[in-house]
Amino acid sequence: MTVFEDLESEVRSYCRNWPVVFDTAKGSRLTDVDGNVYLDFFGGAGALNYGHNPEALKKPLLDYMARDGITHGLDMYTVAKGEFLHTFQDKILAPRGLEYKVQFPGPTGANAVESALKLARKISGKEAMINFTNAFHGMTLGALSVTGNSMKRTGAGIPLVHATPMPYDNYFDGKMPDFMWFEKLLGDSGSGLNDPAAVIVETVQGEGGLNPARIEWLQGLDDLCKRKGLLLIVDDVQMGIGRTGPFFSFEIAGIKPDIVCISKSISGYGLPMALVLIKPEHDIWGPGEHNGTFRGNNPAFVTAAAAINEYWSDDALEKSTIAKGERVEEAFNKIAHDTPSTEMFAKGRGLARGLQFENAELGDKVAGEAFQRRLLLETAGPSDEVLKVLCPLTTTDDELDEGLAIIAESVRAATGS
Amino acid sequence: MTVFEDLESEVRSYCRNWPVVFDTAKGSRLTDVDGNVYLDFFGGAGALNYGHNPEALKKPLLDYMARDGITHGLDMYTVAKGEFLHTFQDKILAPRGLEYKVQFPGPTGANAVESALKLARKISGKEAMINFTNAFHGMTLGALSVTGNSMKRTGAGIPLVHATPMPYDNYFDGKMPDFMWFEKLLGDSGSGLNDPAAVIVETVQGEGGLNPARIEWLQGLDDLCKRKGLLLIVDDVQMGIGRTGPFFSFEIAGIKPDIVCISKSISGYGLPMALVLIKPEHDIWGPGEHNGTFRGNNPAFVTAAAAINEYWSDDALEKSTIAKGERVEEAFNKIAHDTPSTEMFAKGRGLARGLQFENAELGDKVAGEAFQRRLLLETAGPSDEVLKVLCPLTTTDDELDEGLAIIAESVRAATGS
Amino acid sequence: MTVFEDLESEVRSYCRNWPVVFDTAKGSRLTDVDGNVYLDFFGGAGALNYGHNPEALKKPLLDYMARDGITHGLDMYTVAKGEFLHTFQDKILAPRGLEYKVQFPGPTGANAVESALKLARKISGKEAMINFTNAFHGMTLGALSVTGNSMKRTGAGIPLVHATPMPYDNYFDGKMPDFMWFEKLLGDSGSGLNDPAAVIVETVQGEGGLNPARIEWLQGLDDLCKRKGLLLIVDDVQMGIGRTGPFFSFEIAGIKPDIVCISKSISGYGLPMALVLIKPEHDIWGPGEHNGTFRGNNPAFVTAAAAINEYWSDDALEKSTIAKGERVEEAFNKIAHDTPSTEMFAKGRGLARGLQFENAELGDKVAGEAFQRRLLLETAGPSDEVLKVLCPLTTTDDELDEGLAIIAESVRAATGS
Amino acid sequence: MTVFEDLESEVRSYCRNWPVVFDTAKGSRLTDVDGNVYLDFFGGAGALNYGHNPEALKKPLLDYMARDGITHGLDMYTVAKGEFLHTFQDKILAPRGLEYKVQFPGPTGANAVESALKLARKISGKEAMINFTNAFHGMTLGALSVTGNSMKRTGAGIPLVHATPMPYDNYFDGKMPDFMWFEKLLGDSGSGLNDPAAVIVETVQGEGGLNPARIEWLQGLDDLCKRKGLLLIVDDVQMGIGRTGPFFSFEIAGIKPDIVCISKSISGYGLPMALVLIKPEHDIWGPGEHNGTFRGNNPAFVTAAAAINEYWSDDALEKSTIAKGERVEEAFNKIAHDTPSTEMFAKGRGLARGLQFENAELGDKVAGEAFQRRLLLETAGPSDEVLKVLCPLTTTDDELDEGLAIIAESVRAATGS
């Protein structure tokens, strides 16, 4: 481990809480160099919805690489890309009645967000953006400007100035009608709000603390955008690809965003890949107006197509995700009930679940106890006050129970109850 | 091909000039679905310095994946990352007398640049940046703000305002002393130049038109930065990893930049990966202050370590790159000489080579003719007036001659001479 | 009048509604070149609180100029400035228990605001500002950035980006607790609100539509600023100098802002003059850090001192202003009551009074009718929906009744009732 | 004097060097409270081109005020404004073949500059501005953004980002062809220069150090703007109204700027007043798009009209200014010649004259010595290294000789020679 401490920048973070060296991984398990096995409830921060190195994807991937399928293809037409597009169209877009053009930006969520913001500005001719309290959209300058976390924002080193935050759903515990402030500002030519190009939103805020927006709120936002002529961008980087149940997290609200950002689990194998989905009428990009060296990561296209075929040919995964999510919620409620000495409550949707502690310090403490018990877990929220479960959707019921039991123990250990 | 035209966004670019569907690739050759074989002088825009799917890297990669080595590791300590760091330290940094901490940003060059700019602002407490005419550093908002191309800049949709361009080497064909303007501005408290945090520079401008900065100019810039207290950032994303001969393109000047951005060919296999190298005294990042989901792309670490072992254990590649570069230059000079009807001249360094046409339209025309002859080539420069050769460094002499012959033919065809 | 239409820029505005050429003015009356006399309820947009050319100020002014008292003094020490400072300290600051250092910025309200914003940024080391919906602070770039009106903001031609608007008092008709949104944003490190340097506020919004903030709201704002470490800037350019009754409009709330902007009626004679009042501990300006050619308009200092002596040696003006304000309010209520066909209501404080029409078009229509009857009146509010009374505080009761009668007639004429 | 030290902000500046209290002023003389008389070579920083309280203007001013001519007229049509416009058109614009619409912005130079920048952005639809090294245009945020001085820029407290400085004439002592850099940037779509709306320039930089631009340079700039479609804004706030000889300083170059900013000496009596002159085709302001309370300072219109009649009905003032300017230059050359121990040289045009010291500290030292001898003088340039003469144009030859003799003595005293 010395090599990391000697050579790696101080910017490293997760590894500080998990000071072991991992070697192999499969499904929901990681194994370190000493042969210790860990249960993974972090799931690559949402990038491993099908678990580590899923067998159904591994074979096509190895076959592709073995036969020297093109690896790096810039934005050239390739067989692998074509197959992904076909599969994505046939199995994902068409059945959901969604019409989108597909952009391959640089292979990260931040890059998808950067593209979406650029395109929204081009479409509208406006500069201002609306984001939401506790939003997280990425760390490059454009994505950071619509992100809420003050520590991360300060890191920009320049004032981040083109976005105005609006209250996310439930920010006032229901004490303020939805969009009252936002709509008043938009309707008042003296409000001082710069006329916005677009609204960027997560349907469930992951980094922000596993805050789910209600269906009515999402519908209300969609309706507001339509009435006021604002573009609606859904950042589905973390909540898409089945994390909350359906493939796209916004399906439950029956809305069709103008632009959708996709990344993390889209390749299915943890490989870097990202998409921007654009309503055809908004696809006004000029050729090469946004580009990047790694937007043609063909091994990722191979696994992405395989993953869709494997997991999205029926609704089994969606249903099991919802069921497992409820199982987590129940377990969290039980933990809360069994620990009267400390206030805590369950949050989230699907398998994006949080356990929020009134006492913010408990978040990291519980995660630390869990790691002692070989469960990988992270925290979220502005003060890391939410224990976050983003386990693979393919986590078995037994694994789920195992992990939940460790969490219960860890809470007991951390709270001394 | 219909699937691409139907489903892919209008933003796609290279594929418009090369309307075939590629399937496999090896070394300097690509094969399309119809079995046609193409010689690749584009080299993944600099991401394929060792060619497509190099055998020496393929085996470790397939082995790693077959044994379920961890694929997606966020910023966790892993065996693959540790081996990369060891190898990088032992074979690259130490022999060159370079001391750097290594940051793994998101796996793209733009992300490395975004990190470098943030860090430079944090170190200096200043906001302004100095970039150079015809610079290219990436398409996310921070990287774009230090990029020169006006079409790409306009795409930002907001004013890009924190950088001031200075003349790159030879911008005035030697008519103006190096840094006269830059140094005058810095030394004049009434100049109106915002006090800069850092200078970001490419040693050879690739996208800008294959413009090489002279050694003395790079040394002068380094000296100026030292005297004025500016941080020096070298963006070695395209010119690093041997493209100009040595591993780092700045080695020939004997300078040690404060921050170095690395990406493209670092994985050696075309897999997404990027590094930021930071002088130890400047590594003042807070944990997680810049992060990203795909900064632990472990298959890329495996090939990156293998590539260093394979290609950088001695100076053979460096020498052959320089020799091949001269061969390209000679061929270009001969083409220029043989085509008196049109003004053109050779540019570049190592195997980053350009043939600039007085008549800008010839760039795309010649590239088009080359494609007809199954040679993949792109153009560079503000008006696409430079034919660009970024062939794999492993291109054989025969392949080189084959490609150069096609270029000569294509120039003849395009100029009707 | 041809000369104006031929030579003056299209930017001219009030004159378009009052197409006559004025010659002389005294008290609350103006006379045009044809000898027609107009009653002035506009009062120089708040710059003529003591009426036109008040006799008590005219003599010292003419004496000063006749004896060649220095007219233009930059920021030199002058007898006239010294006397103003003495008088201001003795008659205004000391009796109110206020300790302020006095800055003489350029002689306009916008310049006072620009100074205040700069100073607040210097004190706090922060860039962001909080302003309020429907605020108006001036037309230069800094002042405009904290102004609400979208037409005026658009005029900037660049994005105005460093201020975030908060809801002004009563923005939601009491449906939302005061500062609920503002305080939540400040207390949430993930809110995305840039950490603000200061809050800038008007106690009654004049241009915004004669919106008075309640005493409790002002106190709550002051308290919030103290608790959160924000500087409080009161822009008293239009509402100061007795417009709402007391000399400073914020006196009624018992608060002591960190910085106060003063202009308009401070000279008392309509001469350009402005002040920035700064708590001594915040007076960290460097010499000349903000300057301007006309900050030593000495004739204005002469009339300003005379005005203070004349009008602020006792509380007679304050009391009569409050009484007259109530008289206006009653008259407005009566008009509203007598015009059941149209919704309207009275607003304001002291002699800053508005009559707001549900039907926004009535604002200009009534003002037009009033002008036909030789009463000068303007409108305010984002849609000019508020008839605005800013008559001189020295308007006699008879003049007040005369003007109010004309307003009543004009409403009848405009509404056809 | 205690009152100033006790009550006035630390921002005060000139008064620190001249710690006396002035009372009256006439022509080129000021008198302090102790009866000491000072010769004024500072001239209100260019606001007193006709000296203090000129008799020819004083009578119309007192008459106007005595008969209660309207003082504060916002932007209403008034007799005084009409007469000023007639006079300005007949005596200034028409004889010079200039066609301009006249805007009355707020009564300061900074406000005129703010208006000009806004209008240029509106006309062009672009945001970026070109300014010049060592430019000074004012202290409000827009004006400051095109100003060079780093101390003043830092005072903004936010990054000033929309302007890019170009080298002013002679910035490289003739070693670089005029506009080589500027034109190269404009012509290179990869230069990274944001496409500019306009160029703002002073024909002689006053605050910047009395740097005169050559006629050919001004013509070259005008030509460049025309060829490249940039608007040309001349800031004639300090150099206009005869300071360099002709009424407009740009007349000598035979150019007709798109927009001209005027202030300082336009009222002729040191009263706040400013103009923006706009080519008719560019007068696309909407009504009230830029406004301000004191843009109708009618006493200033009275003196402005009187001043034009008095001083610009023939070319006597222009000729005498040029002659006196040469007299100053000769005297400076003689001082330089007589003081071989220290390097210094004369600069400027007309009666905007500077004596620049190699040893920057001498500037303030000589000015201090001059004050001991009752001559008021200030310094200019980024390090206050230039002694600045902006005496009234009406300074008599005897007064001029008297002041120049004091300067010679002061240089001797300061240099110990």
Side-chain angles (χ1 to χ4, degrees), chain A residues 10 61 95 101 130 134 165 185 188 197 237 292 323 327-328 343:
Chain A
E10 295 301 319
L61 174 62
K101 299 294 284 293
I130 295 298
N134 289 295
L185 285 174
D188 176 0
V237 167
R327 199 176 188 115
V328 177
E343 200 76 43

Side-chain angles (χ1 to χ4, degrees), chain A residues 32-54:
Chain A
D32 73 14
V33 280
D34 298 321
N36 300 310
V37 178
Y38 298 78
L39 185 58
D40 184 3
F41 268 32
F42 189 34
L48 296 168
N49 284 1
Y50 316 124
H52 291 270
N53 304 339

Side-chain angles (χ1 to χ4, degrees), chain A residues 7 13 53 58 71 75 102 141, chain B residues 7 13 53 66 71 75 102 114:
Chain A
L7 284 181
S13 65
N53 304 339
K58 181 178 174 181
T71 299
D75 78 343
V102 179
L141 214 50
Chain B
L7 284 181
S13 64
N53 305 338
T71 299
D75 76 344
V102 179
E114 295 267 344

Side-chain angles (χ1 to χ4, degrees), chain D residues 114-357:
Chain D
E114 295 268 343
S115 296
L117 298 178
K118 279 185 179 180
L119 184 59
R121 284 172 168 137
K122 183 169 188 181
I123 295 166
S124 65
K126 299 173 192 168
E127 288 137 340
M129 288 287 154
I130 296 297
N131 64 340
F132 289 97
T133 51
N134 289 295
F136 179 84
H137 298 289
M139 298 294 278
T140 52
L141 215 50
L144 196 53
S145 73
V146 287
T147 288
N149 186 288
S150 67
M151 184 273 272
K152 295 188 194 302
R153 288 176 71 83
T154 303
I158 54 169
L160 297 173
V161 294
H162 294 285
T164 303
M166 290 294 145
Y168 194 67
D169 188 22
N170 217 28
Y171 199 59
F172 297 106
D173 302 323
K175 274 181 257 164
M176 191 171 152
D178 294 348
F179 312 111
M180 182 170 76
W181 171 230
F182 189 7
E183 185 146 10
K184 189 87 197 275
L185 285 173
L186 289 173
D188 176 0
S189 69
S191 71
L193 180 76
N194 290 332
D195 197 12
V199 173
I200 184 164
V201 69
E202 302 154 279
T203 63
V204 179
Q205 295 183 324
E207 298 308 304
L210 282 303
N211 311 315
R214 288 164 303 134
I215 290 175
E216 314 84 84
W217 189 87
L218 292 168
Q219 289 167 337
L221 179 61
D222 180 64
D223 177 61
L224 180 65
C225 287
K226 283 200 175 70
R227 280 185 291 114
K228 298 293 184 178
L230 309 183
L231 293 162
L232 179 61
I233 303 169
V234 168
D235 178 343
D236 228 9
V237 167
Q238 193 171 59
M239 294 302 146
I241 327 295
R243 174 53 56 189
T244 66
F247 187 85
F248 295 114
S249 72
F250 54 80
E251 292 176 38
I252 53 167
I255 62 175
K256 296 181 179 180
D258 296 292
I259 303 177
V260 181
C261 299
I262 292 288
S263 183
K264 290 205 185 248
S265 279
I266 181 67
S267 85
Y269 209 82
L271 301 173
M273 179 174 167
L275 302 179
V276 182
L277 309 181
I278 306 163
K279 281 195 177 166
E281 64 268 32
H282 293 322
D283 183 27
I284 61 166
W285 282 117
E289 203 171 352
H290 185 88
N291 58 22
T293 297
F294 293 116
R295 64 202 189 281
N297 187 17
N298 279 265
F301 299 159
V302 170
T303 53
I308 290 171
N309 283 320
E310 175 71 16
Y311 297 107
W312 299 99
S313 294
D314 59 31
D315 63 1
L317 184 67
E318 176 171 351
K319 285 188 170 157
S320 82
T321 297
I322 293 168
K324 285 172 190 167
E326 288 165 1
R327 199 176 189 117
V328 176
E329 189 178 26
E330 282 163 28
F332 280 179
N333 284 336
K334 184 164 185 328
I335 292 171
H337 180 267
D338 292 352
T339 322
S341 61
T342 316
E343 200 76 41
M344 70 187 88
F345 59 95
K347 308 168 75 177
R349 175 174 293 143
L351 272 170
R353 290 288 166 177
L355 180 60
Q356 179 163 338
F357 297 98

Side-chain angles (χ1 to χ4, degrees), chain A residues 1 3-16 18-26 30 33 42 44-45 47-48 52-53 55 58 61-62 64-72 74-79 81-82 85-86 89 93 100-104 106-109 111 114 118 121 126-127 136 139-142 144 151-152 155-159 162 263-264 269-273 278 283 285-291 293-295 297 299 376, chain B residues 1 3-16 18-26 30 33 42 44-45 47-48 52-53 55 58 61-62 64-72 74-79 81-82 85-86 89 93 100-104 106-108 111 114 118 121 126-127 136 139-142 144 151-152 155-159 162 263-264 269-273 278 283 285-291 293-295 297 299 376:
Chain A
M1 239 163 55
V3 69
F4 303 107
E5 280 155 13
D6 286 358
L7 284 181
E8 205 176 341
S9 161
E10 295 301 319
V11 80
R12 67 196 191 278
S13 65
Y14 298 126
C15 52
R16 294 172 185 266
W18 304 331
V20 296
V21 180
F22 295 101
D23 185 16
T24 61
K26 195 76 186 177
L30 293 98
V33 280
F42 189 34
L48 296 168
H52 291 270
N53 304 339
E55 213 52 35
K58 181 178 174 181
L61 174 62
L62 287 180
Y64 184 82
M65 300 189 94
R67 76 172 181 88
D68 284 323
I70 190 166
T71 299
H72 182 277
L74 286 157
D75 78 343
M76 294 187 269
Y77 299 146
T78 66
V79 171
K81 187 198 272 189
L85 283 171
H86 269 305
Q89 168 67 8
L93 296 182
Y100 285 118
K101 299 294 284 293
V102 179
Q103 178 186 358
F104 298 89
T108 68
N111 213 304
E114 295 268 345
K118 278 184 179 180
R121 285 173 167 136
K126 297 172 193 169
E127 288 138 340
F136 179 84
M139 298 296 276
T140 52
L141 214 50
L144 195 53
M151 183 272 271
K152 295 189 194 304
I158 54 169
H162 294 285
S263 183
K264 290 203 185 249
Y269 209 82
L271 300 172
M273 177 174 168
I278 305 162
D283 183 26
W285 282 118
E289 202 172 350
H290 186 88
N291 57 23
T293 296
F294 293 116
R295 64 202 188 282
N297 186 17
L376 302 183
Chain B
M1 237 165 56
V3 69
F4 302 107
E5 280 156 13
D6 286 357
L7 284 181
E8 206 177 339
S9 161
E10 294 301 320
V11 81
R12 67 194 191 280
S13 64
Y14 298 127
C15 52
R16 295 171 185 267
W18 303 330
V20 297
V21 180
F22 295 101
D23 186 16
T24 60
K26 196 74 185 176
L30 293 99
V33 283
F42 188 34
L48 296 167
H52 291 270
N53 305 338
E55 213 53 33
K58 180 177 174 180
L61 174 63
L62 288 179
Y64 184 81
M65 300 189 93
R67 75 169 182 90
D68 283 324
I70 191 165
T71 299
H72 182 277
L74 287 155
D75 76 344
M76 293 185 270
Y77 299 147
T78 66
V79 171
K81 188 199 271 188
L85 282 172
H86 269 306
Q89 169 66 12
L93 296 182
Y100 284 117
K101 298 295 284 294
V102 179
Q103 178 186 359
F104 297 88
T108 68
N111 212 303
E114 295 267 344
K118 278 184 180 181
R121 284 171 168 137
K126 298 172 192 169
E127 288 138 339
F136 180 84
M139 298 296 277
T140 53
L141 215 49
L144 195 53
M151 183 273 270
K152 296 189 194 301
I158 54 169
H162 293 285
S263 184
K264 290 204 186 248
Y269 209 83
L271 300 173
M273 178 175 169
I278 306 163
D283 183 27
W285 282 117
E289 202 171 352
H290 186 90
N291 58 22
T293 296
F294 293 115
R295 64 202 189 281
N297 187 18
L376 302 185

Side-chain angles (χ1 to χ4, degrees), chain C residues 108-385:
Chain C
T108 69
N111 214 303
V113 170
E114 295 267 343
S115 296
L117 298 178
K118 279 185 178 180
L119 184 60
R121 284 171 168 137
K122 182 169 190 183
I123 295 166
S124 65
K126 299 172 191 168
E127 287 138 340
M129 289 287 155
I130 296 297
N131 63 341
F132 289 97
T133 52
N134 288 295
F136 180 84
H137 299 290
M139 299 295 277
T140 51
L141 215 50
L144 196 52
S145 73
V146 287
T147 288
N149 186 288
S150 66
M151 183 273 269
K152 296 190 194 303
R153 288 176 71 83
T154 302
I158 54 170
L160 297 173
V161 294
H162 294 283
T164 304
M166 291 294 145
Y168 194 67
D169 189 22
N170 215 27
Y171 198 60
F172 297 105
D173 302 324
K175 274 181 259 165
M176 189 171 155
D178 295 349
F179 313 111
M180 184 171 74
W181 172 231
F182 188 8
E183 185 146 11
K184 190 86 197 277
L185 286 173
L186 288 173
D188 176 1
S189 69
S191 71
L193 181 76
N194 290 331
D195 197 13
V199 173
I200 184 164
V201 69
E202 304 154 279
T203 63
V204 179
Q205 296 184 323
E207 299 307 304
L210 282 303
N211 311 315
R214 286 163 305 132
I215 289 175
E216 314 84 84
W217 188 87
L218 292 169
Q219 290 167 337
L221 180 61
D222 180 62
D223 177 61
L224 179 66
C225 287
K226 284 200 175 69
R227 280 185 292 116
K228 298 292 183 179
L230 310 182
L231 294 162
L232 179 61
I233 304 169
V234 169
D235 178 343
D236 228 9
V237 167
Q238 193 171 60
M239 293 302 146
I241 327 294
R243 172 55 54 190
T244 67
F247 187 85
F248 295 114
S249 71
F250 54 79
E251 291 176 39
I252 53 167
I255 62 175
K256 297 181 179 180
D258 296 292
I259 303 176
V260 182
C261 300
I262 293 288
S263 183
K264 290 205 186 249
S265 279
I266 183 67
S267 85
Y269 210 83
L271 301 173
M273 178 174 167
L275 301 179
V276 183
L277 308 181
I278 306 163
K279 280 197 178 164
E281 64 269 31
H282 293 322
D283 183 28
I284 61 166
W285 282 117
E289 204 171 350
H290 186 88
N291 57 24
T293 296
F294 293 116
R295 65 202 189 281
N297 187 17
N298 280 266
F301 299 159
V302 170
T303 54
I308 291 171
N309 282 321
E310 175 73 13
Y311 296 109
W312 298 98
S313 294
D314 59 31
D315 64 0
L317 183 67
E318 176 170 353
K319 285 189 170 159
S320 83
T321 297
I322 292 169
K324 285 171 190 166
E326 287 165 3
R327 200 177 187 117
V328 176
E329 188 178 27
E330 281 162 31
F332 280 179
N333 285 336
K334 186 165 184 328
I335 292 171
H337 180 267
D338 292 351
T339 323
S341 60
T342 315
E343 200 77 42
M344 69 188 87
F345 60 96
K347 310 168 73 176
R349 175 174 292 142
L351 273 169
R353 291 287 167 179
L355 180 60
Q356 179 163 340
F357 298 96
E358 191 67 28
N359 174 357
E361 287 172 19
L362 278 177
D364 284 334
K365 221 168 153 189
V366 172
E369 292 288 339
F371 179 71
Q372 296 303 321
R373 291 160 178 81
R374 298 202 178 135
L375 175 68
L376 302 184
L377 263 181
E378 259 295 335
T379 55
S383 310
D384 297 330
E385 72 277 25

Side-chain angles (χ1 to χ4, degrees), chain C residues 75 103-104 283 285-290, chain D residues 9-13 16:
Chain C
D75 78 344
Q103 177 186 359
F104 297 89
D283 183 28
W285 282 117
E289 204 171 350
H290 186 88
Chain D
S9 161
E10 295 301 319
V11 80
R12 67 194 192 280
S13 64
R16 294 171 186 268

